[in-house]
């Protein structure tokens, strides 16, 4: 018998015509007006999301986490249990391109053949990425990530079975003891949602400063601040990268320093900061498994000019625990907890099932 729906993965029975992971030729747009339908999502700042045009019904559906338009006529939607293909009636190339241009403009940027790949944030939380031809030979591409309409707390995750493999007391203890934590997992595994829930456990008097490429963290905490990177303009000027924002954040006297996602050379600045008394910090990292994390950190360290030994020593000293998240047919879960240590060659390795300074 299938598992009951969970709030965290936002599951619900599929509308008539949808089959998860098996794309039908035609699937209906969800009818938000029918009896018994869930309440519509509104943007975090109160917007009605009508600027999404023909995609507005999906943007307003609180169960939807991602919407992908792969050129004219191809639309995919994720409601937490996997991508499902929908009909895209009316989304020809002209309308799709106009929609992409409008959404990017609303985010304060410009997209055209000279700058065909642009990422923006709308309504304090909705992330829109667009790609135009000729970079995309099949037509205009849109990737829309939608934040949850509510803030999930650690208690909510526990109720949803998120901690079925690792006791919730482990992560509560890490936050209470001001341990530095790295959350890892594949795309869509719930790293940002989990990080926000953990940060909400911090002492209300703690000053939390987060650095993000695109501000997605929504933390229910009275003293949470967010800095967002800025891409350069068409002339190549005005860009502010994550490395600079880490340095700026350190001047703001944070009690907890957070890097929304480690992607490049900023890993050097984060590890340096966490090694100089900024306890209780956190970050996220894309990795397919716990065993893959050391190699990912070595690759990022190389971008920052750090050899494997240097990144290993920095990571062992700075990061107290690695929390690895996974997503399966039962939803998202905290799958493993581990800690870093040096092997016999002074290279980084991760040991599952033991947390430095905490309990496992």
């Amino acid at each position: 018998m299938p598992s009951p729906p969970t709030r965290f993965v936002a599951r619900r029975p599929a509308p008539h015509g949808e089959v998860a992971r098996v794309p039908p030729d035609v699937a209906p747009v969800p009818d938000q007006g029918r009896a018994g339908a869930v309440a519509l999502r509104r943007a975090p700042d109160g917007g009605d999301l009508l600027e999404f045009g023909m995609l507005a019904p999906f943007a307003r559906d609180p169960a939807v986490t991602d919407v992908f338009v792969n050129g004219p006529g191809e639309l995919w939607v994720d409601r937490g249990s996997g991508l499902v293909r929908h009909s895209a009636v009316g989304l020809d190339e002209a309308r799709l391109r106009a929609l992409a241009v409008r959404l990017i403009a609303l985010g304060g940027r410009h997209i055209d053949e000279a700058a065909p790949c642009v990422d923006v944030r709308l309504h304090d939380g909705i992330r829109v990425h667009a790609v135009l031809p000729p970079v995309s030979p099949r037509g205009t591409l849109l990737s829309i990530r939608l934040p949850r309409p509510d803030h999930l707390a650690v208690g909510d995750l526990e109720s949803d079975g998120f901690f079925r493999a690792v006791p919730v007391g482990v992560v509560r203890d890490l936050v209470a003891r001001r341990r530095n934590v790295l959350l890892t997992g594949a795309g869509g595994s719930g790293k940002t949602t989990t990080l926000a829930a953990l940060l909400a456990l911090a002492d209300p008097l703690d000053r939390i400063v987060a650095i993000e490429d695109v501000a997605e963290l929504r933390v229910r905490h009275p003293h949470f601040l967010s800095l967002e990177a800025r891409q350069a303009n068409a002339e190549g000027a005005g860009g502010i990268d994550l490395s600079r924002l880490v340095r700026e954040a350190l001047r703001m006297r944070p009690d907890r320093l957070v890097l929304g996602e480690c992607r490049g050379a900023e890993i050097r600045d984060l590890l340096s900061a966490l090694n100089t008394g900024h306890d209780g910090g956190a970050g996220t990292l894309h990795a397919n498994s716990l065993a893959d994390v050391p190699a990912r950190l070595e690759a990022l360290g190389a971008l920052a000019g750090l050899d494997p030994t240097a990144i290993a020593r920095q990571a062992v000293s700075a990061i107290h625990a690695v929390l690895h998240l996974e997503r399966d047919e039962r939803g998202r879960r905290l799958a493993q907890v581990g800690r870093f240590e040096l092997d016999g060659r002074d290279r980084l390795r991760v040991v599952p099932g033991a947390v430095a300074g905490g309990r496992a």
Side-chain angles (χ1 to χ4, degrees):
M1 187 172 180
S3 303
T6 64
R7 289 179 58 197
F8 184 41
V9 299
R11 289 180 177 174
R12 68 178 189 180
H16 177 70
E18 289 187 21
V19 180
R21 301 189 185 279
V22 180
D25 291 333
V26 177
V29 172
D31 179 5
Q32 300 286 3
R34 64 183 183 275
V38 294
L40 295 177
R41 173 198 269 118
R42 294 183 66 82
D45 59 5
D48 56 16
L49 307 179
L50 292 179
E51 67 272 26
F52 285 88
M54 299 183 69
L55 301 180
F58 298 103
R60 301 178 72 190
D61 184 343
V64 172
T65 60
D66 294 275
V67 177
F68 302 114
V69 185
N70 300 339
E74 186 174 333
L75 172 65
W76 296 78
V77 177
D78 191 344
R79 290 188 174 84
S81 55
L83 288 169
V84 176
R85 187 168 181 173
H86 285 257
S87 61
V89 178
L91 273 178
D92 56 28
E93 176 59 23
R95 293 184 181 182
L96 181 54
R97 183 187 179 101
L99 175 61
V101 170
R102 181 169 75 248
L103 292 176
I104 295 302
L106 289 172
R109 302 203 62 210
H110 178 74
I111 187 169
D112 58 18
E113 286 79 2
C117 307
V118 181
D119 192 48
V120 297
R121 174 176 52 86
L122 303 178
H123 294 294
D124 196 27
I126 299 176
R127 185 169 181 170
V128 178
H129 183 264
V131 182
L132 298 182
V135 173
S136 168
R138 68 191 303 172
T140 299
L141 307 181
L142 270 178
S143 303
I144 302 169
R145 170 153 288 190
L146 298 150
R148 291 186 56 89
D150 55 351
H151 293 71
L152 285 185
V154 166
D156 297 320
L157 301 182
E158 183 180 15
S159 299
D160 293 341
F162 181 72
F163 296 102
R164 58 187 179 270
V166 177
V168 65
V170 171
V171 296
R172 289 185 181 274
D173 187 63
L174 289 170
V175 177
R177 292 173 60 86
R178 301 186 62 83
R179 303 292 82 188
N180 296 327
V181 175
L182 182 66
L183 283 78
T184 65
S189 59
K191 296 186 294 296
T192 300
T193 298
T194 305
L195 178 57
L198 295 184
L199 293 175
L201 295 176
D203 188 310
L205 297 181
D206 283 352
R207 178 174 169 87
I208 304 173
V209 181
I211 301 103
E212 299 180 82
D213 188 36
V214 175
E216 294 181 281
L217 277 171
R218 300 166 64 208
V219 181
R220 187 167 289 173
H221 187 279
H223 204 162
F224 174 78
L225 306 171
S226 180
L227 302 179
E228 183 180 58
R230 187 174 71 188
Q231 299 180 35
N233 61 21
E235 288 74 36
I240 301 177
D241 62 16
L242 294 176
S243 292
R244 176 178 170 183
L245 289 183
V246 172
R247 297 192 294 272
E248 298 296 335
L250 292 175
R251 299 186 179 101
M252 299 168 65
R253 213 213 75 179
D255 295 304
R256 294 177 185 262
L257 184 67
V258 178
L259 183 60
E261 183 177 341
C262 302
R263 295 186 178 204
E266 66 276 357
I267 189 68
R268 173 188 55 204
D269 303 282
L270 176 66
L271 293 179
S272 297
L274 297 182
N275 271 315
T276 54
H278 291 85
D279 294 329
T284 72
L285 177 76
H286 275 277
N288 290 328
S289 70
L290 195 63
D292 290 335
V293 174
R296 286 282 294 131
L297 282 178
E298 287 184 1
L300 297 184
L303 297 176
L306 299 176
D307 62 33
T309 298
I311 195 71
R313 291 184 176 276
Q314 288 280 315
V316 167
S317 176
I319 304 295
H320 301 111
V322 182
L323 308 182
H324 186 71
L325 281 58
E326 292 182 355
R327 174 176 173 175
D328 55 26
E329 66 279 357
R330 297 177 61 188
R332 300 171 176 92
R333 66 189 177 106
L334 175 57
Q336 287 181 290
V337 179
R339 64 179 175 84
F340 289 132
E341 65 176 30
L342 297 176
D343 65 12
R345 300 175 301 148
D346 277 352
R347 296 286 292 269
L348 187 64
R349 69 180 178 186
V350 61
V351 179
V355 180
R359 50 189 169 95

